[in-house]
Amino acid sequence: MQDKIVFTGMRPTGKLHLGHYLGVIENMVKLQDEYRCYYFIADWHALTTKYDKTEGLKQDVIDVATDWLASGISPEKATIYVQSLIPETAELHIYLSMITPQNWVERDPNLKDMAKILRSKEGFASQINYGLMGYPVLMTADILSFNADYVPVGIDQVAHVELTRDIARRFNNIYKTDFFKETQPLLNNCALICGLDGNKMGKSFNNDIKISDSEEATAKKVMSAITDRSRLRKDDPGHPDECEVAFKYWKIFADTEEVNKIRCECEKGERGCADCKRQLGCKINERFKEIREKRKYYEAHPETVEKILREGSEKARVEAQKVLKEVRQLVRMF
Ligand code: TRP
């Protein structure tokens, strides 16, 4: 067990899909055995775009935590918390916002994308608010509230972790200290699994398989996966490398030997796409069997999930308080 701190979080987007599981969560489960880990749910960040749709927010937080716990993230190993239960992060956000040049947040590539999406919407949620501009500064405050060493994130978030380093360095310069560490990103395999239609897997694209899906729903979704478009009959020779989804999934879920066997059978026309996808559905269901059983337990006990989040948040808060005490002294606050 290393003394280094690993820190990461997710926005509460509701029930998670296999892209989240394979790209992020599996990694979080591994890291909790090796480092001091803090995993949190960023409910303030959800408000940057969904401030006018908060009725489902609490349930979305519970849903993410339920998927985490089912997947094997353990409150005994990692500290799991809810962002808004740590007011110290909001305070740190204030100090950091005072020293962050405006053009550092304006050049954020994610903000530019988000602005495009928002502009295409109608109504008052279509503008960029002050809080959304500050998204990466708040993220910096999350990370620096625990003075983390490593932040596992997807490629789209790496720019934010770089900004975290820039802000930390600026803080250290201004207040003549070496208090904040230079946090490093740890890259996740975010694009590992595509959606059922071959595009990026995402909840809003309606092409995802959820951790929480039933076996029947999973089997049905897998049957809709795109295969080799040039293949008309099941005994036509197939082209696994042109199979748009199913063969890619096999490469993720089966071992090399099985993948080679499937390739041979497909190329010889001995394996129809429907049969292939039926087997694939079973394979995926097998992989998630235990996780889904565990998930049923937590789903039936949301009060247990909430208790874990509240206790984790209390523990996390004690650590953030230590950091903030130091920061307040460095900034020479009253
Ligand atoms: N921005 C991240 C996302 O959308 C969530 C997040 C907020 C985060 N604060 C963080 C991730 C701090 C890592 C560290 O996925």
Side-chain angles (χ1 to χ4, degrees):
M1 182 80 170
Q2 292 205 34
D3 223 31
K4 299 259 195 231
I5 295 173
V6 166
F7 180 92
T8 195
M10 280 166 96
R11 269 175 303 154
T13 49
K15 297 190 171 104
L16 303 177
H17 55 60
L18 302 199
H20 295 117
Y21 179 80
L22 297 165
V24 189
I25 301 175
E26 231 178 12
N27 201 219
M28 289 162 74
V29 173
K30 247 185 253 147
L31 290 166
Q32 68 183 351
D33 289 320
E34 295 162 41
Y35 297 96
R36 276 172 54 202
C37 291
Y38 293 89
Y39 298 146
F40 83 108
I41 301 171
D43 55 349
W44 279 329
H45 277 106
L47 294 184
T48 59
T49 52
K50 290 182 47 167
Y51 53 84
D52 57 341
K53 291 185 215 70
T54 52
E55 37 333 307
L57 186 55
K58 187 172 176 200
Q59 187 57 44
D60 285 345
V61 171
I62 296 280
D63 282 341
V64 169
T66 302
D67 280 328
W68 281 5
L69 294 166
S71 300
I73 292 175
S74 157
E76 255 114 65
K77 296 178 178 174
T79 306
I80 309 168
Y81 77 90
V82 179
Q83 183 182 36
S84 65
L85 293 178
I86 314 287
E88 284 70 18
T89 296
E91 185 181 349
L92 183 56
H93 176 251
I94 291 188
Y95 300 128
L96 299 180
S97 67
M98 301 303 167
I99 63 161
T100 303
Q102 188 174 328
N103 64 353
W104 286 15
V105 294
E106 278 169 350
R107 69 181 181 219
D108 175 16
N110 296 21
L111 183 76
K112 289 184 184 153
D113 289 347
M114 198 99 81
K116 240 190 256 157
I117 296 168
L118 288 174
R119 267 197 300 272
S120 68
K121 285 193 186 161
E122 306 241 331
F124 74 111
S126 64
Q127 13 164 342
I128 293 187
N129 286 336
Y130 177 57
L132 179 60
M133 290 279 326
Y135 189 109
V137 185
L138 181 55
M139 194 164 152
T140 299
D142 295 322
I143 296 167
L144 296 184
S145 293
F146 297 88
N147 213 350
D149 294 279
Y150 301 115
V151 180
V153 281
I155 186 94
D156 60 315
Q157 300 291 318
V158 169
H160 289 153
V161 182
E162 268 151 21
L163 180 72
T164 298
R165 261 206 315 265
D166 290 341
I167 296 177
R169 208 175 294 133
R170 193 165 163 96
F171 181 98
N172 288 347
N173 271 330
I174 290 172
Y175 300 110
K176 303 192 176 42
T177 175
D178 56 5
F179 180 64
F180 283 127
K181 296 180 205 161
E182 301 222 345
T183 311
Q184 300 294 328
L186 290 180
L187 211 54
N188 290 326
N189 303 316
C190 256
L192 194 67
I193 189 165
C194 63
L196 293 158
D197 56 2
N199 298 318
K200 183 177 169 214
M201 186 178 278
K203 154 174 164 168
S204 45
F205 310 128
N206 214 350
N207 65 356
D208 61 345
I209 301 174
K210 300 243 172 3
I211 296 174
S212 52
D213 277 339
S214 67
E215 296 201 340
E216 296 72 38
T218 303
K220 204 168 149 208
K221 284 184 179 180
V222 173
M223 292 311 286
S224 78
I226 300 194
T227 52
D228 172 0
R229 290 181 198 263
S230 69
R231 202 171 180 206
L232 301 176
R233 277 169 313 230
K234 68 175 186 190
D235 48 2
D236 286 347
H239 310 88
D241 295 320
E242 270 138 65
C243 177
E244 285 181 42
V245 179
F247 192 63
K248 291 186 185 148
Y249 280 22
W250 277 117
K251 285 199 247 175
I252 294 169
F253 291 101
D255 59 31
T256 325
E257 204 182 317
E258 203 175 351
V259 171
N260 288 339
K261 185 168 156 266
I262 289 162
R263 174 189 286 284
C264 275
E265 288 175 3
C266 176
E267 283 172 345
K268 283 193 214 142
E270 290 169 359
R271 156 182 286 269
C273 291
D275 274 339
C276 184
K277 290 193 277 188
R278 240 184 309 277
Q279 287 172 27
L280 178 61
C282 293
K283 189 83 187 176
I284 295 174
N285 282 334
E286 230 171 79
R287 169 76 171 269
F288 286 94
K289 196 171 178 66
E290 217 176 290
I291 290 173
R292 283 169 169 165
E293 266 158 30
K294 227 165 133 190
R295 197 184 192 289
K296 284 212 184 87
Y297 170 81
Y298 287 113
E299 206 177 292
H301 298 88
E303 70 293 343
T304 306
V305 177
E306 182 168 342
K307 185 158 173 271
I308 288 169
L309 288 174
R310 291 198 184 276
E311 285 174 2
S313 299
E314 264 172 49
K315 247 173 71 187
R317 193 168 177 199
V318 174
E319 295 309 311
Q321 275 166 343
K322 291 182 198 160
V323 171
L324 261 290
K325 187 165 177 230
E326 194 82 25
V327 168
R328 243 174 259 142
Q329 273 169 10
L330 287 166
V331 185
R332 298 205 173 79
M333 297 311 291
F334 194 83

